[in-house]
């Protein structure tokens, strides 16, 4: 964390059992108001997810409070800095899921795929027999992805189960049970999607620890298998290696990202996870 930057950004999530998410949310609203942070936190019975920004001291205090919640000592947090507030206000919401997959009862806290660090990830996806799946939505994939990755072409994360069930049937028809490597922006969608894939009978399922953002932060560009930018859900729009600002901007009307030097045809729907 950069103590001199005007705004510290923390993207965080943790799958944990929260019997009373409403009560936890009320405490977080009060603390966030006291600290003057902005951003969004989503709580559900399955855990917490969100991105917050504020002074380095305020974000540290908020993160410390979340780490003290039941099951959250291992909270996954990725930090960045910004010269101005990346969010207009602070929202703390309670929902059915912290990231909406709509696939029924899954247990990402205990049933997700195996984590791989960036070096092991590079080795796995270099194997031509490994199936590499980008679990993000089509507009995110359009900004950048890993080489050889399959784009499901989804418009929302809740579309992923139906796509995967069709894809899994094709693998079975071909008599294949390959290693499956999956990735997403920060790791949360992979926790749920790898749990889904394992529930469908695939055993060798892996995902990138910390997601694309940690990979871009840690992996030297010369050794990287990433191509393009990584779309992010804040005013930075997209980042590249070293988490430096990318070449994409966003349409003010539809929210879709596109390269700054390219023409853009405005769409009707705004991006959503």
């Amino acid at each position: 964390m950069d103590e001199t930057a005007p705004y510290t950004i923390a993207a965080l999530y943790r799958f944990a059992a929260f019997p009373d998410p409403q009560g936890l949310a009320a405490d977080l609203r009060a603390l966030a108001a006291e600290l003057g942070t902005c951003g969004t936190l989503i709580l559900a019975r399955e855990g917490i997810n969100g991105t917050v920004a504020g002074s380095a001291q305020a974000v540290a205090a908020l993160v410390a409070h979340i780490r003290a919640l039941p099951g959250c000592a291992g909270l996954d947090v990725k930090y960045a800095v910004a010269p101005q507030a990346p969010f207009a206000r602070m929202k703390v919401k309670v929902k059915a899921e912290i990231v909406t997959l709509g696939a029924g009862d899954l247990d990402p806290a205990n049933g997700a795929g195996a984590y791989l660090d960036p070096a092991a990830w590079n080795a796995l996806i270099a194997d031509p027999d490994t199936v590499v799946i980008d679990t993000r939505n089509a507009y995110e994939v359009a900004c950048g992805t890993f080489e050889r990755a399959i784009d499901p072409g989804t418009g929302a994360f809740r579309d992923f189960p139906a796509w995967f069930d069709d894809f899994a049937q094709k693998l079975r028809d071909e008599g294949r049970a390959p290693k499956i490597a999956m990735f997403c922006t920060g790791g949360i969608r992979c926790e749920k999607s790898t749990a889904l894939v394992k529930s469908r009978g695939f055993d060798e399922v892996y995902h990138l620890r910390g997601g694309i953002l940690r990979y871009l932060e840690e992996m030297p560009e010369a050794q990287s298998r990433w191509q393009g930018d990584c779309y992010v859900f804040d005013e930075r729009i997209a980042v590249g290696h070293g988490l430096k600002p990318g070449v994409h901007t966003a349409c003010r009307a539809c929210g879709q990202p596109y390269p700054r030097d390219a023409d853009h045809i405005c769409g009707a729907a705004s991006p959503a996870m």
Side-chain angles (χ1 to χ4, degrees):
M1 293 169 59
D2 184 351
E3 298 289 336
T4 65
Y7 283 87
T8 293
I9 303 168
L12 57 90
Y13 77 91
R14 179 69 176 178
F15 284 99
F18 287 171
D20 181 22
Q22 292 284 0
L24 299 179
D27 292 342
L28 280 166
R29 288 189 192 100
L31 179 59
E34 177 185 335
L35 294 171
T37 56
C38 58
T40 299
L41 290 173
I42 298 171
L43 290 91
R45 294 178 68 85
E46 66 180 8
I48 187 168
N49 174 36
T51 304
V52 295
S55 70
Q57 295 83 359
V59 169
L62 190 60
V63 168
H65 176 90
I66 296 171
R67 284 195 191 280
L69 298 179
C72 289
L75 183 74
D76 186 284
V77 187
K78 283 170 283 295
Y79 293 101
V81 296
Q84 57 189 14
F87 306 102
R89 57 194 177 95
M90 186 74 208
K91 296 178 285 186
V92 181
K93 304 177 180 179
V94 176
K95 295 187 175 183
E97 299 179 73
I98 58 174
V99 58
T100 303
L101 187 61
D105 291 333
L106 294 172
D107 184 11
N110 298 299
Y115 292 106
L116 293 179
D117 62 23
W121 175 261
N122 274 1
L124 179 65
I125 68 172
D127 180 350
D129 293 328
T130 299
V131 172
V132 186
I133 301 175
D134 194 328
T135 68
R136 303 171 303 150
N137 300 319
Y139 64 87
E140 299 171 78
V141 179
C143 290
T145 191
F146 281 103
E147 57 188 45
R148 295 186 52 248
I150 296 171
D151 174 12
T154 52
F157 191 43
R158 68 180 68 88
D159 300 332
F160 185 83
W163 174 86
F164 183 77
D165 286 342
D166 287 344
F167 181 71
Q169 188 58 53
K170 293 176 183 177
L171 292 178
R172 294 188 182 101
D173 290 346
E174 296 169 1
R176 299 174 62 198
K179 294 179 181 178
I180 298 179
M182 305 170 71
F183 63 94
C184 60
T185 307
I188 184 170
R189 283 179 278 184
C190 287
E191 298 256 8
K192 290 202 96 169
S193 56
T194 56
L196 170 77
V197 170
K198 290 184 70 177
S199 77
R200 299 305 198 253
F202 292 85
D203 297 323
E204 292 191 89
V205 184
Y206 304 86
H207 58 120
L208 179 58
R209 185 186 295 274
I212 302 162
L213 293 179
R214 185 157 291 160
Y215 182 93
L216 293 177
E217 183 178 16
E218 297 179 359
M219 178 59 63
E221 188 169 358
Q223 301 170 33
S224 175
R225 293 185 175 275
W226 176 261
Q227 300 169 336
D229 284 348
C230 175
Y231 179 85
V232 291
F233 293 86
D234 59 50
E235 291 186 0
R236 294 174 295 170
I237 310 302
V239 297
H241 287 90
L243 301 185
K244 296 176 181 177
V247 301
H248 287 76
T249 188
C251 175
R252 292 183 179 273
C254 69
Q256 294 290 324
Y258 65 97
R260 292 189 186 92
D261 60 355
D263 293 332
H264 169 65
I265 299 175
C266 184
S270 297
M273 287 186 71

